[in-house]
Amino acid sequence: MSVRLGPSRFGDPQDSPVGSHAEWLANAAALEARRLVETGHVREAVEILLATAQFGRDLRHNGLVVSELYGRAICWIAFDELRDMILSGKVDRERLLDVDRGLEVLDRSFTQGGSCLRNQALAIGKMFLRGEIFKAKQVFADPDPVTIQASWRQAYSAKLLQADAFFRLEDWSRRLADAEQRSYVEERRVVDEITAEPAPNLLALFFNRDMESLTAAQRGCLAQLRLVRAAARYRATGKCCSSMIRLPRPFGTA
């Protein structure tokens, strides 16, 4: 079952139902998997790591940016541990095929971050409506968003400044959500177009500061999943799965 983290439940941009505790849990699972491998319980170790990766995927799915960051970190922990387990030579053919099959299932439902960006824009809009912009100071570094003042473009109105920021963020997140379904080159073009836009609204720029790094990191997570899966398949059979070769490359040009 996916953990749904839409802004209707977690309405602030910094909210996450698990926070850093999720990473602690993932690290504990990785250590337990190592212990199981050393004691000859490889099947149980594989199951734990695949479940950890699925947990990370569920946390990333349809949440806010903070949940996407935690979920991606958990996926990386699981993928790194699976990679090391494969390279150790302690995993037999059947368990390697279990890794391949488990990651294939995960790959089919592995999402990018378009939904979290759109949810983030909605959560920021909700924060504006409640007059709680000061809460952003708890998560983001300087400048303090409270000090960002409306200019003549917003008729020196704080409400118009916030409304304009929301509509800009919603537009940017929609364009990025559409672009992530295309090639990396096309997605980068959209990112470059957005960053090159004249944006006199400093509040919108403040809340959009991590957009560029987020898109590349999301594709990197998917690439790591497929590389680990390819390694497991190759170690088990001596060849790569033909269906994987036909998959779109996360950083490909088409």
Side-chain angles (χ1 to χ4, degrees), residues 58-70:
D58 290 349
L59 189 58
R60 294 179 65 242
H61 178 68
N62 199 30
L64 303 177
V65 168
V66 65
S67 295
E68 140 68 31
L69 296 176
Y70 283 127

Side-chain angles (χ1 to χ4, degrees), residues 227-247:
L227 286 170
V228 173
R229 183 186 165 201
R233 183 78 178 192
Y234 185 79
R235 282 291 183 99
T237 66
K239 56 185 178 181
C240 189
C241 179
S242 59
S243 63
M244 274 195 65
I245 297 175
R246 293 191 293 268
L247 289 173

Side-chain angles (χ1 to χ4, degrees), residues 118-139:
R118 303 214 67 182
N119 290 341
Q120 188 80 0
L122 292 174
I124 291 169
K126 186 175 181 180
M127 184 179 66
F128 288 160
L129 288 173
R130 294 187 305 201
E132 296 177 346
I133 190 174
F134 65 90
K135 283 191 174 183
K137 184 61 177 175
Q138 301 170 11
V139 219

Side-chain angles (χ1 to χ4, degrees), residues 7 63-65 112-125 164-182 187 190-191 193-195 197 204 207-212 214-215 218:
L64 303 177
V65 168
Q112 299 287 23
S115 60
C116 82
L117 289 171
R118 303 214 67 182
N119 290 341
Q120 188 80 0
L122 292 174
I124 291 169
D164 180 63
F166 168 75
F167 286 118
R168 288 177 183 269
L169 290 169
E170 200 283 329
D171 174 64
W172 292 340
S173 64
R174 175 186 54 77
R175 289 160 63 185
L176 282 171
D178 293 339
E180 74 175 16
Q181 306 301 323
R182 308 175 208 158
E187 184 180 45
V190 173
V191 171
E193 287 175 357
I194 291 174
T195 54
E197 286 181 3
F207 284 110
N208 207 42
R209 58 177 64 188
D210 295 322
M211 170 190 65
E212 186 172 354
L214 186 65
T215 56
Q218 290 161 349

